[in-house]
PDB file of all heavy atoms in Angstrom:
ATOM      1  N   ASN E 768       4.297 -35.562  32.502  1.00  0.00           N
ATOM      2  CA  ASN E 768       3.421 -35.237  31.379  1.00  0.00           C
ATOM      3  C   ASN E 768       4.176 -34.625  30.212  1.00  0.00           C
ATOM      4  O   ASN E 768       3.685 -34.562  29.121  1.00  0.00           O
ATOM      5  CB  ASN E 768       2.346 -34.228  31.828  1.00  0.00           C
ATOM      6  CG  ASN E 768       1.429 -34.864  32.821  1.00  0.00           C
ATOM      7  OD1 ASN E 768       1.385 -36.096  32.912  1.00  0.00           O
ATOM      8  ND2 ASN E 768       0.729 -34.057  33.593  1.00  0.00           N
ATOM      9  N   ASN E 769       5.341 -34.123  30.490  1.00  0.00           N
ATOM     10  CA  ASN E 769       6.054 -33.422  29.433  1.00  0.00           C
ATOM     11  C   ASN E 769       7.514 -33.856  29.428  1.00  0.00           C
ATOM     12  O   ASN E 769       8.308 -33.397  30.226  1.00  0.00           O
ATOM     13  CB  ASN E 769       5.953 -31.916  29.673  1.00  0.00           C
ATOM     14  CG  ASN E 769       6.472 -31.169  28.478  1.00  0.00           C
ATOM     15  OD1 ASN E 769       7.257 -31.708  27.706  1.00  0.00           O
ATOM     16  ND2 ASN E 769       6.045 -29.946  28.331  1.00  0.00           N
ATOM     17  N   ILE E 770       7.836 -34.717  28.510  1.00  0.00           N
ATOM     18  CA  ILE E 770       9.181 -35.278  28.537  1.00  0.00           C
ATOM     19  C   ILE E 770      10.237 -34.252  28.167  1.00  0.00           C
ATOM     20  O   ILE E 770      11.395 -34.446  28.421  1.00  0.00           O
ATOM     21  CB  ILE E 770       9.328 -36.477  27.579  1.00  0.00           C
ATOM     22  CG1 ILE E 770       9.046 -36.062  26.134  1.00  0.00           C
ATOM     23  CG2 ILE E 770       8.486 -37.634  27.999  1.00  0.00           C
ATOM     24  CD1 ILE E 770       9.642 -37.014  25.136  1.00  0.00           C
ATOM     25  N   GLN E 771       9.817 -33.129  27.573  1.00  0.00           N
ATOM     26  CA  GLN E 771      10.817 -32.173  27.120  1.00  0.00           C
ATOM     27  C   GLN E 771      11.408 -31.364  28.255  1.00  0.00           C
ATOM     28  O   GLN E 771      12.470 -30.800  28.111  1.00  0.00           O
ATOM     29  CB  GLN E 771      10.177 -31.213  26.125  1.00  0.00           C
ATOM     30  CG  GLN E 771       9.606 -31.951  24.943  1.00  0.00           C
ATOM     31  CD  GLN E 771      10.035 -31.298  23.669  1.00  0.00           C
ATOM     32  OE1 GLN E 771       9.877 -30.095  23.543  1.00  0.00           O
ATOM     33  NE2 GLN E 771      10.580 -32.054  22.759  1.00  0.00           N
ATOM     34  N   HIS E 772      10.724 -31.307  29.375  1.00  0.00           N
ATOM     35  CA  HIS E 772      11.156 -30.344  30.386  1.00  0.00           C
ATOM     36  C   HIS E 772      11.979 -30.959  31.484  1.00  0.00           C
ATOM     37  O   HIS E 772      11.764 -30.741  32.644  1.00  0.00           O
ATOM     38  CB  HIS E 772       9.935 -29.583  30.902  1.00  0.00           C
ATOM     39  CG  HIS E 772       9.316 -28.866  29.761  1.00  0.00           C
ATOM     40  ND1 HIS E 772       8.053 -29.099  29.356  1.00  0.00           N
ATOM     41  CD2 HIS E 772       9.863 -28.018  28.869  1.00  0.00           C
ATOM     42  CE1 HIS E 772       7.816 -28.373  28.278  1.00  0.00           C
ATOM     43  NE2 HIS E 772       8.895 -27.724  27.957  1.00  0.00           N
ATOM     44  N   HIS E 773      12.961 -31.736  31.038  1.00  0.00           N
ATOM     45  CA  HIS E 773      13.845 -32.378  31.989  1.00  0.00           C
ATOM     46  C   HIS E 773      14.638 -31.355  32.784  1.00  0.00           C
ATOM     47  O   HIS E 773      14.996 -31.578  33.900  1.00  0.00           O
ATOM     48  CB  HIS E 773      14.788 -33.318  31.259  1.00  0.00           C
ATOM     49  CG  HIS E 773      15.555 -32.656  30.170  1.00  0.00           C
ATOM     50  ND1 HIS E 773      15.023 -32.442  28.932  1.00  0.00           N
ATOM     51  CD2 HIS E 773      16.807 -32.142  30.141  1.00  0.00           C
ATOM     52  CE1 HIS E 773      15.924 -31.851  28.176  1.00  0.00           C
ATOM     53  NE2 HIS E 773      17.005 -31.651  28.879  1.00  0.00           N
ATOM     54  N   HIS E 774      14.874 -30.197  32.160  1.00  0.00           N
ATOM     55  CA  HIS E 774      15.653 -29.164  32.830  1.00  0.00           C
ATOM     56  C   HIS E 774      14.969 -28.777  34.137  1.00  0.00           C
ATOM     57  O   HIS E 774      15.588 -28.793  35.194  1.00  0.00           O
ATOM     58  CB  HIS E 774      15.751 -27.974  31.888  1.00  0.00           C
ATOM     59  CG  HIS E 774      16.565 -26.863  32.441  1.00  0.00           C
ATOM     60  ND1 HIS E 774      17.920 -26.943  32.571  1.00  0.00           N
ATOM     61  CD2 HIS E 774      16.202 -25.651  32.899  1.00  0.00           C
ATOM     62  CE1 HIS E 774      18.370 -25.809  33.083  1.00  0.00           C
ATOM     63  NE2 HIS E 774      17.352 -25.016  33.287  1.00  0.00           N
ATOM     64  N   SER E 775      13.676 -28.490  34.067  1.00  0.00           N
ATOM     65  CA  SER E 775      12.956 -28.093  35.270  1.00  0.00           C
ATOM     66  C   SER E 775      12.947 -29.241  36.277  1.00  0.00           C
ATOM     67  O   SER E 775      13.063 -29.028  37.475  1.00  0.00           O
ATOM     68  CB  SER E 775      11.520 -27.724  34.928  1.00  0.00           C
ATOM     69  OG  SER E 775      11.507 -26.878  33.833  1.00  0.00           O
ATOM     70  N   ALA E 776      12.848 -30.453  35.783  1.00  0.00           N
ATOM     71  CA  ALA E 776      12.805 -31.603  36.686  1.00  0.00           C
ATOM     72  C   ALA E 776      14.115 -31.686  37.446  1.00  0.00           C
ATOM     73  O   ALA E 776      14.142 -31.919  38.646  1.00  0.00           O
ATOM     74  CB  ALA E 776      12.588 -32.874  35.893  1.00  0.00           C
ATOM     75  N   GLN E 777      15.194 -31.459  36.742  1.00  0.00           N
ATOM     76  CA  GLN E 777      16.490 -31.533  37.401  1.00  0.00           C
ATOM     77  C   GLN E 777      16.625 -30.422  38.427  1.00  0.00           C
ATOM     78  O   GLN E 777      17.155 -30.631  39.504  1.00  0.00           O
ATOM     79  CB  GLN E 777      17.601 -31.421  36.365  1.00  0.00           C
ATOM     80  CG  GLN E 777      17.713 -32.706  35.584  1.00  0.00           C
ATOM     81  CD  GLN E 777      18.495 -32.494  34.319  1.00  0.00           C
ATOM     82  OE1 GLN E 777      18.662 -31.366  33.888  1.00  0.00           O
ATOM     83  NE2 GLN E 777      18.962 -33.557  33.737  1.00  0.00           N
ATOM     84  N   ILE E 778      16.127 -29.257  38.034  1.00  0.00           N
ATOM     85  CA  ILE E 778      16.214 -28.137  38.970  1.00  0.00           C
ATOM     86  C   ILE E 778      15.470 -28.483  40.241  1.00  0.00           C
ATOM     87  O   ILE E 778      15.943 -28.269  41.337  1.00  0.00           O
ATOM     88  CB  ILE E 778      15.620 -26.870  38.329  1.00  0.00           C
ATOM     89  CG1 ILE E 778      16.593 -26.368  37.279  1.00  0.00           C
ATOM     90  CG2 ILE E 778      15.356 -25.798  39.354  1.00  0.00           C
ATOM     91  CD1 ILE E 778      16.004 -25.340  36.377  1.00  0.00           C
ATOM     92  N   THR E 779      14.313 -29.088  40.078  1.00  0.00           N
ATOM     93  CA  THR E 779      13.530 -29.450  41.255  1.00  0.00           C
ATOM     94  C   THR E 779      14.364 -30.360  42.144  1.00  0.00           C
ATOM     95  O   THR E 779      14.410 -30.198  43.359  1.00  0.00           O
ATOM     96  CB  THR E 779      12.250 -30.184  40.827  1.00  0.00           C
ATOM     97  OG1 THR E 779      11.715 -29.495  39.721  1.00  0.00           O
ATOM     98  CG2 THR E 779      11.243 -30.233  41.942  1.00  0.00           C
ATOM     99  N   THR E 780      15.072 -31.282  41.527  1.00  0.00           N
ATOM    100  CA  THR E 780      15.903 -32.193  42.306  1.00  0.00           C
ATOM    101  C   THR E 780      16.963 -31.404  43.068  1.00  0.00           C
ATOM    102  O   THR E 780      17.233 -31.652  44.224  1.00  0.00           O
ATOM    103  CB  THR E 780      16.657 -33.167  41.362  1.00  0.00           C
ATOM    104  OG1 THR E 780      15.775 -33.505  40.322  1.00  0.00           O
ATOM    105  CG2 THR E 780      17.152 -34.376  42.095  1.00  0.00           C
ATOM    106  N   VAL E 781      17.525 -30.429  42.368  1.00  0.00           N
ATOM    107  CA  VAL E 781      18.632 -29.689  42.979  1.00  0.00           C
ATOM    108  C   VAL E 781      18.154 -28.822  44.129  1.00  0.00           C
ATOM    109  O   VAL E 781      18.782 -28.759  45.175  1.00  0.00           O
ATOM    110  CB  VAL E 781      19.332 -28.806  41.914  1.00  0.00           C
ATOM    111  CG1 VAL E 781      20.367 -27.921  42.555  1.00  0.00           C
ATOM    112  CG2 VAL E 781      19.975 -29.681  40.865  1.00  0.00           C
ATOM    113  N   ILE E 782      17.036 -28.156  43.938  1.00  0.00           N
ATOM    114  CA  ILE E 782      16.661 -27.177  44.967  1.00  0.00           C
ATOM    115  C   ILE E 782      15.980 -27.804  46.182  1.00  0.00           C
ATOM    116  O   ILE E 782      15.770 -27.139  47.164  1.00  0.00           O
ATOM    117  CB  ILE E 782      15.792 -26.036  44.394  1.00  0.00           C
ATOM    118  CG1 ILE E 782      14.514 -26.577  43.792  1.00  0.00           C
ATOM    119  CG2 ILE E 782      16.557 -25.207  43.400  1.00  0.00           C
ATOM    120  CD1 ILE E 782      13.610 -25.502  43.226  1.00  0.00           C
TER     121      ILE E 782
END
Side-chain angles (χ1 to χ4, degrees):
N768 294 342
N769 190 337
I770 60 159
Q771 301 228 309
H772 299 119
H773 55 278
H774 182 71
S775 313
Q777 286 163 342
I778 287 167
T779 317
T780 322
V781 173
I782 60 179

